[in-house]
Structures are given as C-alpha cells and as structure tokens.
Amino acid sequence: MDKKSPHILNASSNLLGFSLIIITSLKISKISQNTYLDEFAAFACILFACSCFFSFLAIRTKEEKREYSFETIADYLFLFALFCIVLAVIILTLKII
C-alpha cells in the first residue's frame, strides 16, 4: 500500500497557509462584508487543519488498520477543503471581473 499521508500533510499545510492569506487579504481590503468568500476560506482552513491532524496521526500510528482509517479521513477532508478553495477562487475571480 502506497502511503499518501506525508503528501496530504504537505499539501494541506501549504494550502492552509494559502487560505489564511485569502482571509487576511479580505479583511485588509474590507471585501469580506460583500461576499461569502471569507466563509468558504475559513471553512477550508478548518478542513485543511483537520486534514493535517489526521494525516499526522496516520504517519505516527503503528497499527495498520488505524493508519488506513486516519489516512482516508485526511484524504476526504483534503478533498472537501480543496473544493471550498476552488469556490473561493471562483467567487474572487467573478468579483474582480
């Protein structure tokens, strides 16, 4: 079985930082009141943080069944967070154009 947990942890932590930059830039530019962009980015932050947590648990656990469970949870959380980021980028693009 190919272990995906280190890749999920790396990508989730990077995209968590990206999501936090989106939220910070929205608060600075005061755009967050007019759109749902910050809500999508905040929800993505929570999902990316949980994905990081579960992928870390999958890396650290010694029991193979539990490792697979944690990795699967991290994988799905990452997928949902990625979907939220895509929605945020679409909203931002439509707002700019």
Side-chain angles (χ1 to χ4, degrees):
M1 182 170 131
D2 189 29
K3 297 185 188 266
K4 298 181 286 185
S5 299
H7 302 293
I8 295 171
L9 181 60
N10 186 23
S12 291
S13 60
N14 287 331
L15 289 172
L16 175 61
F18 177 72
S19 301
L20 291 171
I21 288 173
I22 290 174
I23 293 171
T24 303
S25 64
L26 289 172
K27 295 296 180 185
I28 290 172
S29 64
K30 298 187 180 15
I31 296 175
S32 61
Q33 292 88 2
N34 301 334
T35 65
Y36 290 109
L37 182 58
D38 58 335
E39 283 86 2
F40 283 122
F43 190 61
C45 283
I46 292 168
L47 292 175
F48 280 131
C50 291
S51 180
C52 287
F53 177 73
F54 280 107
S55 60
F56 179 77
L57 288 178
I59 293 169
R60 297 295 294 172
T61 190
K62 302 293 183 205
E63 188 179 324
E64 193 167 325
K65 186 178 179 183
R66 188 176 292 174
E67 177 186 357
Y68 179 74
S69 297
F70 287 151
E71 191 174 88
T72 303
I73 292 169
D75 203 14
Y76 283 118
L77 287 171
F78 180 79
L79 180 65
F80 292 136
L82 200 57
F83 180 70
C84 288
I85 287 296
V86 168
L87 286 176
V89 169
I90 289 171
I91 291 171
L92 183 63
T93 305
L94 294 175
K95 183 75 174 168
I96 292 174
I97 294 175

